[in-house]
Amino acid sequence: MTTSLGDLGAALVQWRRDLHARPEPGFCEFRTASSLVDELERFGYEVVYGVDAMDPGAAHLVPEERVAAWHRHAQERGVPAERLERMSGGATAVVAELRCGSGPTVAFRFDIDALPLQEADESSHKPAREGYASRNPGWMHACGHDGHMAIGLGVAATLAACSDDLGGTVRFLFQPAEEGALGGAAAIAARGFVDDVDYLLCCHLGLEARETGHVVCRTDFMATSKYRATFAGRGAHVVNSPQDGRNALLAAAAAALALHAIAPTSEGWFSLNVGVLNAGTEQGVTPASATIDLGFWTETSAAQEYLRDRVHSVIEGTARVWGVGFDIRLIGEAPSCMQSENLAAVLRRVAARLPAVTRIDDYALCRAGEDATVLIKRVADHGGQGVYTLVGSALADGHHSPRFDFDEGALSIGVDLLAGAARELLRVGNGE
Ligand SMILES: [Zn+2]
């Protein structure tokens, strides 16, 4: 397929709006993945998806009931049965490849999931005003992943159109379930798709780059771990036989307080939050069960290790004090990792040549987790290089807000930047 640049600008907006209107949760991106497969096959890529593209067993948490409901939702909206069959169980990753002779392998990673938010419907919100707001109540692309997918398709189309000039392989990883670090990246890595990658490029719109035309070549993220702890007590009549009860609610509440009181560490900054506490059935019965979900974000792997240890001790110790059973389960994780200065320098060179780029920063630190680090670390462990870059965009409101919206003008900058970097890395005769 040949796409003139003018056509591509319109296609980017069209892809973005189509995907924006149909947001799906992590590991439930059935319709999203199916439309990515359609486009990538149309560009001439070899595409694998579903269980061929990821190992659901390697994910930390696949929310099974939700997956089944969204599977039906996609079926009702006409996603072909054969596609859904291969994605069953929440295997919604898509991997596309184009081999252009011998040379290095350049991979790109884009996230595809949405957030549990009801999108604003006021006329000041552009997607609502222009008719492409979410059609899936309670879910919204409020972090720009719709834009990331559009950029990914744009880079794929651009590189397919100039494949004769490239020496090597390009591979696109469209990853489910970035939010919550539920294991979408780990599930793709488990199929070996990054083990032979020489260069891995990842990107995000906005974040620390909140003007269109601003590029940050390299961005570090916090390491993060997320746990679900359950406490198992014993129900009893609170007046007749209170001594027989074992109060799981109080155990969970005491654990929540103790978790928030974990001492700081000289190993690095961290933030911990108990974000969910569910317990009990009614006021006359000792609460027999309780669940808490907690997450922490740390500056260093050493601080992550410290917190893992302290969190386990607090849960176990509190359970013992209250005489209840406990279980602690990892439901999300991403490391912090070193990124390639060399790739950051390539991006800087490419960005400097783009007329639409008005500001280039070498580095930013983002105080959030991002499981692209799972893939970047795996690439580095196998001798390759990875980098995470920010494509700046003016934002209508902050990330994860019902009024979040980015500037669609940033999409073509993202495409020019990433496709330009790939062309540089895969230039025939490139001695790197
Ligand atoms: Zn995001």
Side-chain angles (χ1 to χ4, degrees):
M1 191 191 109
T2 41
T3 310
S4 79
L5 279 181
D7 289 340
L8 187 61
L12 288 171
V13 170
Q14 199 186 324
W15 288 321
R16 183 268 163 149
R17 294 186 178 192
D18 175 79
L19 294 162
H20 184 86
R22 295 164 184 84
E24 295 167 302
F27 296 125
C28 303
E29 307 96 330
F30 298 103
R31 193 270 179 190
T32 304
S34 183
S35 52
L36 292 170
V37 171
D38 286 338
E39 293 303 276
L40 292 161
E41 285 183 343
R42 193 163 66 83
F43 304 152
Y45 282 75
E46 197 178 299
V47 182
V48 295
Y49 62 93
V51 288
D52 296 330
M54 62 173 266
D55 175 6
H60 306 302
L61 180 73
V62 180
E64 286 169 20
E65 279 171 28
R66 182 187 282 169
V67 168
W70 284 86
H71 191 275
R72 281 194 301 278
H73 183 269
Q75 204 165 23
E76 286 157 17
R77 279 153 189 80
V79 176
E82 184 233 19
R83 289 258 170 95
L84 287 171
E85 178 66 27
R86 282 163 71 179
M87 293 191 277
S88 67
T92 46
V94 177
V95 176
E97 190 171 282
L98 192 66
R99 282 189 216 98
C100 317
S102 63
T105 296
V106 174
F108 303 91
R109 175 273 199 181
F110 303 95
D111 43 14
I112 69 172
D113 55 322
L115 284 157
L117 284 168
Q118 181 62 41
E119 183 159 13
D121 66 357
E122 57 244 44
S123 62
S124 57
H125 182 60
K126 191 176 168 202
R129 187 172 68 242
E130 302 205 0
Y132 58 92
S134 172
R135 298 179 191 175
N136 295 339
W139 291 88
M140 176 187 173
H141 274 297
C143 195
H145 301 186
D146 48 342
H148 302 166
M149 288 185 273
I151 290 173
L153 292 174
V155 175
T158 303
L159 293 178
C162 68
S163 59
D164 291 348
D165 304 335
L166 304 177
T169 298
V170 288
R171 187 178 298 154
F172 290 81
L173 313 172
F174 287 95
Q175 183 212 300
E178 184 278 323
E179 303 289 352
L182 304 181
I188 290 178
R191 287 277 184 261
F193 285 112
V194 293
D195 294 350
D196 61 343
V197 166
D198 298 286
Y199 306 106
L200 174 66
L201 301 164
C202 311
C203 81
H204 208 295
L205 287 160
L207 295 182
E208 315 303 310
R210 297 192 170 203
E211 37 182 292
T212 307
H214 183 186
V215 167
V216 177
C217 301
R218 184 167 62 92
T219 313
D220 274 339
F221 289 88
M222 304 282 109
T224 182
S225 301
K226 291 146 172 71
Y227 290 98
R228 175 164 297 162
T230 42
F231 297 91
R234 192 191 308 136
H237 193 292
V238 290
V239 181
N240 286 347
S241 51
Q243 71 283 359
D244 292 338
R246 294 290 178 270
N247 197 319
L249 181 153
L250 290 179
L257 288 172
L259 288 164
H260 276 263
I262 288 175
T265 169
S266 57
E267 299 286 4
W269 174 92
F270 74 82
S271 175
L272 178 148
N273 186 48
V274 177
V276 177
L277 194 164
N278 289 312
T281 48
E282 63 151 303
Q283 74 280 14
V285 177
T286 312
S289 67
T291 304
I292 57 177
D293 285 359
L294 68 111
F296 54 78
W297 293 260
T298 71
E299 213 170 43
T300 63
S301 300
Q304 187 180 29
E305 196 49 51
Y306 164 80
L307 278 199
R308 277 193 199 114
D309 177 65
R310 296 308 304 142
V311 163
H312 278 86
S313 298
V314 165
I315 303 288
E316 189 181 347
T318 321
R320 189 172 305 132
V321 166
W322 290 89
V324 300
F326 74 97
D327 177 60
I328 178 160
R329 182 175 163 205
L330 183 74
I331 56 172
E333 192 155 68
S336 63
C337 69
M338 291 299 291
Q339 296 179 37
S340 162
E341 305 261 355
N342 173 48
L343 276 185
V346 170
L347 286 163
R348 171 174 265 283
R349 279 201 298 280
V350 174
R353 291 198 296 264
L354 299 177
V357 171
T358 49
R359 174 181 165 190
I360 306 172
D361 286 339
D362 286 324
Y363 177 79
L365 174 65
C366 185
R367 287 198 185 275
E370 164 50 278
D371 71 355
T373 58
V374 170
L375 300 169
I376 294 172
K377 182 170 184 302
R378 178 117 164 191
V379 166
D381 289 347
H382 284 77
Q385 304 174 25
V387 75
Y388 198 107
T389 187
L390 300 183
V391 176
S393 169
L395 302 178
D397 203 356
H399 293 266
H400 298 203
S401 152
R403 284 168 204 82
F404 175 82
D405 191 27
F406 61 84
D407 174 5
E408 288 171 333
L411 298 175
S412 58
I413 299 176
V415 171
D416 291 345
L417 181 67
L418 296 179
R423 292 180 71 146
E424 185 149 326
L425 293 163
L426 296 174
R427 214 168 43 218
V428 175
N430 183 351
E432 266 191 301

